[in-house]
Amino acid sequence: MARPGRHRAGAGSGSDDPPAPTDDAGEAPPADEEHHGPLSFLRELPGLILVAFLLALLIKTFLVQAFFIPSQSMEHTLEVGDRVLVNKIVYRFREPRRGDVLVFENPGALQPDRNFAEDLVNWVTEGLGFSSDPQKDFIKRVVGLPGETIEVRRGRVFIDGKRIQEPYLHPERDIQDFAKTTIPPGRYFMMGDNRA
């Protein structure tokens, strides 16, 4: 019990301030009602957009990234204009397997000369799947694994002398040959599904 003339901090009933108005239920309305009005969402919107943008960039950098399919090289598995989400962490836990579809950088592609702002815009738009340089990133299927010997005869692929089954191929068959070659350690032999 408080002594007369003395007030405890936070005890509103014993203060010298006039009592807060009450509604019909006898409860006082929130002191900062203007923060909960229809404009409060608009005040919070820039912060929400910034948080969403930062989360998207983190996800794009470390977990998944969207890619736009610009060419016919993977038809009918992937069509021109398709967008795919690429898992960026799966190969930290296991090696690629025959039949996996991978996105990889063209080792022979020249890097464009861009300033920081242009690089940032390109990084964001590519990560969200809006643009992609068809000469920079390739999407192909793993056909040959490290250490294997691969050969293509009349459009049919042979690994270590045995023909592999490829039910995913485009119906039009490429009949070009590829001489017997041993795949170096740490390398993979990639081909599109639309080989013609």
Side-chain angles (χ1 to χ4, degrees):
M1 186 166 147
R3 292 185 189 163
R6 291 193 152 169
H7 306 293
R8 287 185 293 178
S13 62
S15 72
D16 293 333
D17 296 334
T22 60
D23 58 14
D24 292 340
E27 295 178 13
D32 54 350
E33 189 171 300
E34 70 275 1
H35 289 23
H36 300 291
L39 296 179
S40 67
F41 175 74
L42 293 178
R43 281 193 293 271
E44 295 174 4
L45 189 59
L48 292 173
I49 290 172
L50 181 63
V51 168
F53 181 72
L54 291 174
L55 280 174
L57 291 181
L58 286 172
I59 289 169
K60 180 251 185 209
T61 302
F62 299 109
L63 300 177
V64 294
Q65 182 173 348
F67 284 91
F68 173 78
I69 306 302
S71 74
Q72 301 171 340
S73 71
M74 285 297 291
E75 284 183 345
H76 288 289
T77 305
L78 298 170
E79 302 289 340
V80 174
D82 283 353
R83 285 187 168 81
V84 294
L85 290 177
V86 175
N87 181 339
K88 296 181 86 169
I89 61 172
V90 67
Y91 296 117
R92 295 184 189 277
F93 302 105
R94 71 169 179 88
E95 295 296 317
R97 299 174 185 151
R98 188 179 343 277
D100 287 358
V101 176
L102 302 180
V103 174
F104 58 97
E105 284 188 11
N106 175 2
L110 296 174
Q111 296 298 324
D113 188 24
R114 291 190 271 240
N115 64 33
F116 176 77
E118 291 170 330
D119 266 345
L120 181 63
V121 168
N122 182 66
W123 183 65
V124 171
T125 56
E126 281 186 0
L128 298 175
F130 294 121
S131 68
S132 181
D133 180 356
Q135 301 305 314
K136 178 181 174 252
D137 295 315
F138 289 157
I139 183 163
K140 306 286 181 216
R141 189 178 297 274
V142 176
V143 176
L145 303 174
E148 294 181 334
T149 299
I150 188 165
E151 179 182 13
V152 180
R153 286 184 259 148
R154 296 189 47 77
R156 291 169 176 81
V157 177
F158 294 82
I159 301 289
D160 296 331
K162 296 177 185 164
R163 183 176 171 205
I164 63 169
Q165 298 300 312
E166 299 182 283
Y168 41 76
L169 286 183
H170 191 279
E172 293 181 32
R173 183 176 294 276
D174 180 17
I175 59 169
Q176 293 184 14
D177 291 344
F178 183 81
K180 193 181 286 189
T181 304
T182 300
I183 303 166
R187 302 294 179 110
Y188 297 86
F189 193 89
M190 314 291 288
M191 297 178 85
D193 291 354
N194 183 7
R195 297 178 190 163

